[in-house]
Amino acid sequence: VQLQASGGGSVQAGGSLRLSCVTSGRTFTSTTIAWFRQAPGKEREFVAAIRWNGYEYYGDSVKGRFTISRDKAKNTVYLQMSSLKPEDTAVYYCAVGTGIILSAIREETSYSYWGQGTQVTVSS
């Protein structure tokens, strides 16, 4: 499985960005696709995930501001980010996992395939 993340950039606080993650290669049932982020000097943080059944999950720091969605026909998952804050500055990664139990959906170790990351910078 290959993942290609894109859409990062620089934006002022309060602005919006949409990230895309295109997946290719082997496909699986019971797949979860997630976004994580990592700021300099910090651990990787769960942002959002969408399961094969369409259910969405969000990290507390982005709930109500970010929306994850997918276009199955394009093998693409999106992360719409609104009301961006300087603390959202990070490298954003998309990841794919299979057979993830709900209690582990926010754990990066649950995901086997990772994209290369895309930088998001929010200035105040």
Side-chain angles (χ1 to χ4, degrees):
V1 176
Q2 292 79 43
L3 296 88
Q4 181 71 41
S6 62
S10 297
V11 64
Q12 289 193 328
S16 299
L17 280 174
R18 188 178 77 160
L19 306 183
S20 300
C21 177
V22 179
T23 64
S24 60
R26 185 179 176 185
T27 58
F28 304 91
T29 58
S30 304
T31 295
T32 300
I33 302 178
W35 288 95
F36 287 78
R37 66 186 182 186
Q38 188 165 23
K42 295 189 177 182
E43 293 186 352
R44 195 168 294 186
E45 175 190 18
F46 172 79
V47 175
I50 187 165
R51 304 195 90 182
W52 75 94
N53 55 12
Y55 284 10
E56 303 166 18
Y57 302 87
Y58 296 93
D60 290 341
S61 61
V62 306
K63 203 171 295 183
R65 299 188 297 122
F66 291 11
T67 302
I68 191 169
S69 62
R70 64 184 179 187
D71 184 332
K72 287 186 176 179
K74 295 182 178 180
N75 292 324
T76 302
V77 170
Y78 302 100
L79 184 69
Q80 178 67 48
M81 306 185 294
S82 302
S83 302
L84 283 162
K85 305 175 181 180
E87 50 264 43
D88 294 318
T89 296
V91 177
Y92 284 70
Y93 299 90
C94 57
V96 170
T98 59
I100 300 175
I101 59 174
L102 190 54
S103 60
I105 202 168
R106 293 173 173 81
E107 304 298 325
E108 62 175 297
T109 54
S110 297
Y111 297 85
S112 302
Y113 305 95
W114 291 81
Q116 85 287 4
T118 185
Q119 176 71 46
V120 172
T121 302
V122 184
S123 58
S124 57

